[in-house]
Amino acid sequence: MKPVRNAEPIAMWVLRIALLLYAFTYYFGTFKAFDFDSMSFWFALVILVFCGLVFIGGFGTRNNQLTLWSSLILLIMSVLQIVMEFPNGITPYLSLYILVAGVALLFLSRGNK
């Protein structure tokens, strides 16, 4: 069986939309609290902003810079979440963070292709 190469652009947009949904459903409640003294607020802010920038970066097909920088920041944030969650053992949150890190790494390696 051969890979379906024509589906790659659709798959990349599905991943962009999935990142947006992940950020909104998982972090918007924390962001909405506006607790500037909480590290969770700043973490949520960074994740929300850069997930949005990965989505917006998909519209600029000539310049990959927005997608690449946003995915790098998301990869770093995901690795930090993995490190913080790892002492709790294998949890659903750990698997979610690993998935997000994988998607961010994919965008970092592929850009807007």
Side-chain angles (χ1 to χ4, degrees):
M1 184 171 184
K2 293 183 180 181
V4 182
R5 299 272 181 210
N6 296 338
E8 187 177 343
I10 296 169
M12 295 298 273
W13 276 104
V14 168
L15 288 175
R16 281 184 167 89
I17 293 168
L19 272 177
L20 273 180
L21 288 174
Y22 158 75
F24 182 75
T25 57
Y26 200 73
Y27 292 104
F28 191 70
T30 305
F31 173 74
K32 195 170 60 171
F34 286 109
D35 184 11
F36 295 113
D37 295 330
S38 171
M39 190 62 147
S40 297
F41 169 79
W42 295 106
F43 209 79
L45 176 66
V46 169
I47 296 288
L48 284 167
V49 166
F50 286 100
C51 281
L53 289 176
V54 166
F55 182 77
I56 292 168
F59 293 109
T61 57
R62 293 219 183 251
N63 193 353
N64 289 326
Q65 294 301 313
L66 185 60
T67 301
L68 295 177
W69 283 105
S70 300
S71 58
L72 177 65
I73 298 297
L74 285 176
L75 180 63
I76 291 169
M77 298 300 281
S78 296
V79 169
L80 285 174
Q81 288 177 317
I82 291 167
V83 168
M84 291 187 304
E85 185 66 28
F86 195 73
N88 296 333
I90 298 174
T91 64
Y93 296 115
L94 181 67
S95 62
L96 181 65
Y97 300 146
I98 291 171
L99 278 170
V100 172
V103 170
L105 186 60
L106 176 69
F107 282 117
L108 185 61
S109 66
R110 301 283 298 172
N112 288 336
K113 290 182 183 179

